[in-house]
Amino acid sequence: MSGARLGFFTRLLDAAPDGRRYRTALAQVRAAEEHGFASAWVAQHHFDRDEGGLPSPFPFLAAAAVQTDRIALGTGIVTLPLEDPVRVAEDAAVVQALSDGRVQLGVGSGGTPSAFAAFGRASEDRREIQADHLDVLRDAFAGRGIRGSDLRLNPPAPDLAVRLWQATFSVEGGRRAGRAGDGLLLSRTQPREPGQALHDVQVPIVEAYLSSLPAGVEPRILASRTAVVVDPDRLAEAWASADHGVRRLTRTFLGQDDTGDLADLARLTDTHLGTVEAVVATLAADRTLPLATDVAFQVHSVDPAPEITLRSIELLATEVAPRLGLRTGEAAAAELRGLTTTETAAV
């Protein structure tokens, strides 16, 4: 396929009290590192427990930083218009120091208009706020005075200037990320018309991004996908756990009828669920993935039992990744930190 780096992604949706949710997700990040995943990404969601379990990603990533050694730790995403960008810069800088330089900072303008009122913001202003807040982040990471003052970010985090990623659903958003030299984050919940495949919408975004990158800037393209890989004896159980979430995803994100056959809805929502052979076959048909530098897999909206998630992490790394040419291991993780293979020996 692409030689993309293998990543893990979570929205922290395990059916458990909050503390156990967070501990379960930390165990999944540790398992991902143990099996050679290059990166682990967490989403930020406010208020809606069924959409995401983590309103504050940096405390979680700080906990992950002290429980891991190599895996990159990313936000996918921080909803930047709802945040104070100085606090985002400070929080990211602390985790960057705590993790010895493993932070990848993904930001986006957010997709839930109802959340904006609680933060005293207007959803229709999100793009203007996003642009302003990105400017503040860039000044902070570059060591320039923040908002025209003489104040500098402490601790300094100059590497984060080249660890920014922008999430988008649009071709123009791809161009913006490319012109800025940032990474590009692509979601499995990409809006699209009935009958459109996910790659039909995302390949033009990638092409716009690549055509807009400044000369000499290496592309960074992460595609988030749902994949749950199971042993044959757990297949029926996994499909049963997928029923509610896949139907909800069909209804809410795609706006389509959710009463059909579950296997058909899984294909419609790009839910890659099955044995190693089945998941390899469906992922191989995704034309976005050969263009990606990173592919991050989540179990949502299947949300199986925790032991199935851990087994899926193992099977993705040991069986699926080699068959698709996805890269794992210390060198792949080090690339996201800008380290060479020789330098990893000293880390």
Side-chain angles (χ1 to χ4, degrees), residues 212-297:
S212 302
L213 277 175
V217 175
E218 290 293 324
R220 291 176 290 136
I221 304 163
L222 183 140
S224 172
R225 294 295 187 264
T226 293
V228 180
V229 190
V230 296
D231 296 305
D233 63 337
R234 305 296 294 268
L235 192 55
E237 178 186 351
W239 276 108
S241 69
D243 190 270
H244 173 75
V246 169
R247 293 188 191 279
R248 180 178 184 271
L249 187 65
T250 303
R251 181 176 66 255
T252 57
F253 282 95
L254 298 183
Q256 299 189 41
D257 178 40
D258 66 347
T259 60
D261 177 75
L262 183 59
D264 290 339
L265 298 180
R267 285 189 290 272
L268 187 67
T269 57
D270 289 271
T271 300
H272 303 276
L273 169 59
T275 61
V276 169
E277 292 75 14
V279 170
V280 167
T282 55
L283 286 172
D286 188 330
R287 291 191 292 108
T288 303
L289 301 191
L291 302 175
T293 62
D294 298 84
V295 180
F297 291 111

Side-chain angles (χ1 to χ4, degrees), residues 50-313:
D50 293 329
E51 182 59 25
L54 188 64
S56 300
F58 293 109
F60 180 88
L61 292 180
V66 299
Q67 296 183 31
T68 57
D69 297 308
R70 298 177 303 280
I71 195 167
L73 303 171
T75 57
I77 57 169
V78 171
T79 309
L80 196 56
L82 299 182
E83 303 291 331
D84 181 329
V86 179
R87 294 294 299 119
V88 171
E90 290 180 330
D91 287 347
V94 169
V95 181
Q96 175 79 340
L98 192 62
S99 66
D100 290 327
R102 290 185 280 140
V103 170
Q104 302 289 325
L105 184 56
V107 300
S109 60
T112 308
S114 60
F116 280 71
F119 289 88
R121 309 273 167 79
S123 177
E124 57 267 26
D125 296 334
R126 66 176 66 194
R127 288 177 179 82
E128 292 78 8
I129 299 171
Q130 168 97 341
D132 175 68
H133 287 189
L134 268 171
D135 287 343
V136 174
L137 284 182
R138 295 189 201 283
D139 284 344
F141 296 145
R144 295 188 287 266
I146 296 173
R147 285 184 165 139
S149 72
D150 292 330
L151 302 173
R152 301 296 192 270
L153 184 65
N154 177 43
D159 288 349
L160 288 180
V162 292
R163 308 281 181 80
L164 282 166
W165 303 64
Q166 293 191 45
T168 187
F169 288 146
S170 71
V171 168
E172 181 52 39
R175 290 195 186 98
R176 282 196 301 270
R179 285 194 296 267
D182 294 336
L184 177 68
L185 296 176
L186 300 173
S187 171
R188 56 119 196 192
T189 55
Q190 170 79 48
R192 52 196 188 272
E193 297 297 325
Q196 275 190 311
L198 184 56
H199 55 233
D200 290 337
V201 184
Q202 290 188 336
V203 167
I205 298 173
V206 173
E207 291 172 342
Y209 168 79
L210 292 172
S211 68
S212 302
L213 277 175
V217 175
E218 290 293 324
R220 291 176 290 136
I221 304 163
L222 183 140
S224 172
R225 294 295 187 264
T226 293
V228 180
V229 190
V230 296
D231 296 305
D233 63 337
R234 305 296 294 268
L235 192 55
E237 178 186 351
W239 276 108
S241 69
D243 190 270
H244 173 75
V246 169
R247 293 188 191 279
R248 180 178 184 271
L249 187 65
T250 303
R251 181 176 66 255
T252 57
F253 282 95
L254 298 183
Q256 299 189 41
D257 178 40
D258 66 347
T259 60
D261 177 75
L262 183 59
D264 290 339
L265 298 180
R267 285 189 290 272
L268 187 67
T269 57
D270 289 271
T271 300
H272 303 276
L273 169 59
T275 61
V276 169
E277 292 75 14
V279 170
V280 167
T282 55
L283 286 172
D286 188 330
R287 291 191 292 108
T288 303
L289 301 191
L291 302 175
T293 62
D294 298 84
V295 180
F297 291 111
Q298 57 183 293
V299 298
H300 320 299
S301 296
V302 177
D303 297 311
E307 64 270 18
I308 292 181
T309 296
L310 291 176
R311 177 61 170 158
S312 180
I313 288 170

